[in-house]
Amino acid sequence: MEDTILEVRHFVKLHYDINVKVVKKVTSYIDENYILTTDTEKTYLLKVITVKDNDDIRTQKAIADVMIRLGSAGFNLPVRLAANNGSTSILCPFGKSKLSFLVLQTFLQGSLLDDIICGEKDMVNLIFECGQKLAAIARHFKGEVLSHLSRPKSEWNLLQVDLYRHYVAELNDQIREHCQNAIHTFATMVVPKLSSFQSGFIHADGNACNFIVSPKEIGWKITGVIDFGDSCTSYYIVDVATLLTYMMQKAQSSNLDIHEVAKHAYQGYINVLPLNQDEIAVLDLVVAARLAQSISIGSHMIKLEPEKSHLIGQSIKPCSEILTKLSSISRKQIRELWAIS
């Protein structure tokens, strides 16, 4: 770790002429993130994003362009700093000679939604705002074609069922059956209807760690959105389903009503960007598939990187509990509980 800290300090000094006093690594699934405090007490975030091929490089450049445009339009999100050569990202080896995109960006002030403690009423209102924020981001690019952000080879692309379906065999009996059913239903009842769904740019990672919360006169408000690393062009229903999946995880881990949370997340999103009737008819199936995807990929990742078992397990456990709950009630009940109509 000491070698990494020295490498971070050297990189930031070399490319940005900034002296780093404190380096704090932030635990994450895939990429590496470091919170930096400078000798002038400013705070930045250094993102180290591993790239595998030219498609990844094009994707990262496209994400940078999207973030610049959103920032210019008034969205509160991190701003990438220009390096000494004028670039907002540096492609170079990092750590164990892994080719990576390194990005230094501003650190948004406030708290993560995942870290605050408040009553259920205040929390569901904040989750409603999260839905509004993600939908506003998607709506900003409505009608545009962002070809470099299609990301067809990502196993986190929910539509690429064959990329994650085979991981289900590694699961234990009960949750394996739930995952198999959810993925099969998605592949046979949702994928054939894709042509009737709305599509465009989506954030695609609406979890409670990616929303910045600040206090207001009474309570809290959502003031920023971070981490565009999974953003892509896909279907708006995937954005909604991912938001509901993550917010129900938050609810399950915080002893909140998962259905009340799902309802507010859904209502917040469609308040800004409505879904059509074909999308509404299958939303619960897309959520179930997204839960199965998280469980399957997460369990496989633990086998590959057992040192991250605690971090990844924090997601798998609530996802498994939620999918089990959803599998025990009818689709009609789910639709009523989430106020889907």
Side-chain angles (χ1 to χ4, degrees):
M1 182 61 186
E2 186 63 34
D3 289 343
T4 302
I5 290 174
L6 291 174
E7 186 175 9
V8 167
R9 285 177 168 155
H10 175 73
F11 172 84
V12 175
K13 177 63 177 177
L14 176 65
H15 292 283
Y16 296 88
D17 199 25
I18 293 174
N19 294 311
V20 175
K21 184 173 67 174
V22 178
V23 178
K24 178 183 177 182
K25 185 174 183 178
V26 181
T27 305
S28 59
Y29 261 50
I30 301 172
D31 300 325
E32 297 179 27
N33 297 290
Y34 300 90
I35 299 174
L36 313 180
T37 305
T38 71
D39 57 356
T40 58
E41 300 303 323
K42 292 183 178 179
T43 305
Y44 298 104
L45 182 71
L46 179 68
K47 297 185 70 67
V48 182
I49 305 162
T50 303
V51 294
K52 302 182 183 71
D53 52 32
N54 287 333
D55 285 342
D56 282 349
I57 294 172
R58 285 190 289 268
T59 295
Q60 291 306 319
K61 289 180 177 178
I63 290 173
D65 180 61
V66 161
M67 293 181 69
I68 290 169
R69 291 177 59 190
L70 285 170
S72 298
F75 289 87
N76 186 30
L77 61 157
V79 176
R80 295 188 174 196
L81 276 64
N84 297 334
N85 65 0
S87 174
T88 56
S89 61
I90 305 293
L91 184 64
C92 65
F94 184 85
K96 297 178 180 178
S97 299
K98 295 181 294 185
L99 187 62
S100 304
F101 252 109
L102 279 78
V103 176
L104 187 66
Q105 61 188 39
T106 56
F107 189 82
L108 291 193
Q109 297 302 309
S111 303
L112 299 179
L113 175 62
D114 200 43
D115 291 338
I116 68 166
I117 299 174
C118 62
E120 182 164 337
K121 182 179 179 180
D122 288 335
M123 180 58 71
V124 295
N125 287 336
L126 285 170
I127 288 170
F128 180 90
E129 290 182 37
C130 291
Q132 290 180 308
K133 293 288 185 185
L134 290 195
I137 288 170
R139 186 180 63 181
H140 186 74
F141 295 99
K142 192 175 176 75
E144 290 193 41
V145 177
L146 303 173
S147 58
H148 290 322
L149 285 172
S150 61
R151 310 184 82 161
K153 294 187 289 186
S154 170
E155 64 184 3
W156 286 107
N157 182 337
L158 186 61
L159 306 179
Q160 301 300 317
V161 175
D162 290 338
L163 293 180
Y164 57 87
R165 177 161 41 193
H166 59 283
Y167 297 147
V168 175
E170 301 173 3
L171 303 174
N172 64 47
D173 291 344
Q174 183 180 18
I175 198 61
R176 182 172 67 239
E177 182 178 356
H178 291 324
C179 288
Q180 285 174 334
N181 291 339
I183 294 170
H184 175 74
T185 303
F186 177 76
T188 56
M189 294 182 61
V190 178
V191 173
K193 298 181 179 180
L194 291 178
S195 62
S196 65
F197 295 170
Q198 304 169 87
S199 62
F201 174 82
I202 62 172
H203 179 275
D205 194 13
N207 73 68
C209 291
N210 287 339
F211 294 98
I212 302 298
V213 180
S214 299
K216 58 182 182 179
E217 189 172 339
I218 300 177
W220 303 84
K221 61 181 178 180
I222 302 294
T223 54
V225 180
I226 61 175
D227 197 351
F228 283 71
D230 288 338
S231 60
C232 60
T233 55
S234 187
Y235 296 90
Y236 297 144
I237 191 174
V238 172
D239 208 20
V240 180
T242 301
L243 174 67
L244 267 62
T245 294
Y246 281 127
M247 291 307 167
M248 285 195 293
Q249 283 183 51
K250 168 69 175 172
Q252 184 72 15
S253 302
S254 306
N255 296 316
L256 302 176
D257 185 332
I258 63 168
H259 300 299
E260 192 68 16
V261 163
K263 179 175 75 174
H264 279 75
Y266 167 68
Q267 294 294 336
Y269 199 99
I270 66 168
N271 178 259
V272 176
L273 189 59
L275 298 183
N276 65 36
Q277 287 303 311
D278 287 339
E279 295 162 334
I280 291 169
V282 296
L283 177 60
D284 60 308
L285 303 181
V286 183
V287 171
R290 186 61 180 79
L291 286 161
Q293 182 190 37
S294 288
I295 295 164
S296 304
I297 295 178
S299 297
H300 182 69
M301 288 175 66
I302 287 177
K303 290 193 172 186
L304 297 179
E305 300 180 82
E307 69 277 8
K308 292 185 178 180
S309 60
H310 178 69
L311 171 67
I312 300 172
Q314 289 177 329
S315 173
I316 294 175
K317 183 176 184 291
C319 281
S320 299
E321 292 168 346
I322 294 164
L323 185 57
T324 300
K325 286 182 179 180
L326 297 183
S327 300
S328 70
I329 59 177
S330 70
R331 292 189 62 202
K332 181 181 178 182
Q333 287 176 289
I334 294 171
R335 294 169 63 81
E336 289 173 350
L337 290 165
W338 296 358
I340 300 174
S341 60

